[in-house]
Amino acid sequence: MSDVPVDAVRAVVRLSRLFERSLDGLSLAQYRVLAQIAAGDERASRIARRLALGKPAVSATVESLRQRGLLVRGGLDEDRRVTPLSLTPQGRSVLDAAERVMTEALGEVLAHTPDADAAGTVLLQLGDALEEILSERARWQDR
């Protein structure tokens, strides 16, 4: 598809806003960082690269999550770029609750489509495509 309809872009933005509103007390940026840590990324610099965010933005988000008791920095190393990050039990609970409420919100949207299964499959395919693009960019940056 060479010409993406602007309505498709607007739908993705509205979906993003729906998720954002459903996250009680957690921003999408904070959710994304928590999800990356839960997926195994332990270093802020790697999270920044995987999420295509600037390192200062990730560092600020990490610090706000640490202050809320949702994650901890491991080790005693003063260099925050190489200090491993991990979720606290409270962080895991907040992440699980956020994913539960966003899954419910998406389920409601999908239920209003002509073919919820097909729409869900397309979203999974988009996720795979995004993962591929981010991996390619990360490989390019590592050169």
Side-chain angles (χ1 to χ4, degrees):
M1 176 181 246
S2 60
D3 294 320
V4 176
V6 72
D7 288 343
V9 172
R10 291 176 179 164
V12 170
V13 171
R14 285 195 317 269
L15 186 59
S16 173
R17 181 67 183 132
L18 175 70
F19 288 154
E20 195 170 47
R21 280 193 313 246
S22 70
L23 295 173
D24 186 30
L26 193 68
S27 71
L28 277 177
Q30 290 171 327
Y31 164 75
R32 292 171 63 201
V33 169
L34 288 175
Q36 278 304 127
I37 294 169
D41 280 332
E42 299 177 329
R43 305 210 188 283
S45 59
R46 185 176 196 175
I47 292 168
R49 189 169 59 235
R50 296 281 303 142
L51 297 179
L53 295 171
K55 291 176 187 175
V58 170
S59 293
T61 302
V62 164
E63 182 58 22
S64 71
L65 292 168
R66 188 197 63 75
Q67 288 177 0
R68 289 180 59 186
L70 303 181
L71 63 82
V72 294
R73 289 188 179 98
L76 300 174
D77 194 338
E78 291 299 317
D79 187 349
R80 292 181 178 174
R81 293 170 299 164
V82 296
T83 303
L85 303 168
S86 61
L87 299 182
T88 63
Q90 181 184 1
R92 171 47 73 184
S93 177
V94 166
L95 177 62
D96 289 347
E99 290 181 334
R100 188 172 42 255
V101 71
M102 286 190 295
T103 299
E104 290 169 2
L106 181 58
E108 184 178 352
V109 171
L110 292 176
H112 285 83
T113 65
D115 187 345
D117 289 337
T121 298
V122 167
L123 289 173
L124 291 172
Q125 291 169 344
L126 287 173
D128 290 344
L130 286 168
E131 189 65 33
E132 185 176 325
I133 289 168
L134 291 174
S135 293
E136 287 173 7
R137 287 182 182 170
R139 282 192 301 274
W140 180 255
Q141 289 174 349
D142 288 342
R143 291 182 183 183

